[in-house]
Amino acid sequence: MKVKVDRFAKKSTYTVGHCYIDGKLFCDTIEDKDRGLTLDMPLREIQEKKVYGKTAIPRGLYTIAFTLSEKFKNRAWTKPYGGKVPLLVRATTGKEDFGYGGVRIHPFNTAEESLGCIALGENKVVGKVINSTVWFKKFMDEHFMPAIKRGEKVTLEVV
């Protein structure tokens, strides 16, 4: 399964994008500010430009792993998945070696809540997504979990 986030609204404190699944528009996204980082940059450059808790992940290709989240394992929206939440790792190495750690796709509404993570939802309010938990559940139940059960590799390209 191929997931793509196309960032189209790069604002001073947040970034809004469209999420596509296998080429079809799925929903909107919200992230921290895009500071122009890419996975092609040396790690030192990423770390120099990154502002902790206020910087979107570098553009590039990731693999989405499915791992237990100590932070979120007791939330109601993780219960159906045994406390597991999609985790982004660098596609080329399979590791969190891109200057960030613990970056996940999970429900939230504003960039202030993200710490580099990506939320799915509807961008009907400036600077926010709404119905994030609904869209997360739809992503998990209709797309991600079936792909995992089929043994498919799930990738995320951020552009």
Side-chain angles (χ1 to χ4, degrees):
M1 181 172 91
K2 294 180 182 180
V3 181
K4 180 172 135 182
V5 170
D6 183 4
R7 297 172 174 163
F8 67 87
K10 299 173 185 177
K11 304 299 183 180
S12 63
T13 58
Y14 64 90
T15 304
V16 175
H18 290 307
C19 177
Y20 296 87
I21 298 177
D22 293 327
K24 295 181 182 175
L25 180 62
F26 178 66
C27 68
D28 299 318
T29 62
I30 193 153
E31 305 173 73
D32 285 320
K33 178 181 175 150
D34 182 335
R35 297 182 190 278
L37 305 178
T38 69
L39 285 177
D40 296 334
M41 292 176 165
L43 183 56
R44 169 174 256 135
E45 185 177 353
I46 290 172
Q47 291 171 329
E48 287 171 358
K49 292 182 177 181
K50 177 184 172 186
V51 176
Y52 179 79
K54 296 181 182 207
T55 305
I57 60 171
R59 290 186 307 276
L61 186 64
Y62 299 86
T63 299
I64 304 178
F66 189 46
T67 65
L68 182 69
S69 169
E70 288 298 323
K71 181 176 181 178
F72 298 127
K73 70 182 180 184
N74 294 319
R75 305 281 175 97
W77 48 266
T78 65
K79 295 287 185 189
Y81 318 109
K84 293 182 177 181
V85 183
L87 174 73
L88 304 186
V89 296
R90 186 189 286 252
T92 55
T93 64
K95 298 178 182 176
E96 296 176 89
D97 60 356
F98 53 94
Y100 292 66
V103 176
R104 297 182 180 273
I105 297 172
H106 66 86
F108 59 89
N109 302 106
T110 67
E112 290 81 24
E113 302 169 84
S114 79
L115 295 177
C117 296
I118 300 171
L120 308 174
E122 301 167 64
N123 179 231
K124 292 184 174 184
V125 178
V126 174
K128 293 183 176 186
V129 292
I130 60 171
N131 298 319
S132 187
T133 303
V134 171
W135 284 96
F136 175 80
K137 184 170 174 33
K138 185 177 175 94
F139 172 78
M140 295 296 288
D141 295 348
E142 297 177 17
H143 300 282
F144 188 74
M145 294 306 296
I148 294 295
K149 287 177 183 171
R150 291 190 299 269
E152 289 181 29
K153 180 179 180 179
V154 182
T155 60
L156 167 70
E157 181 181 17
V158 179
V159 298

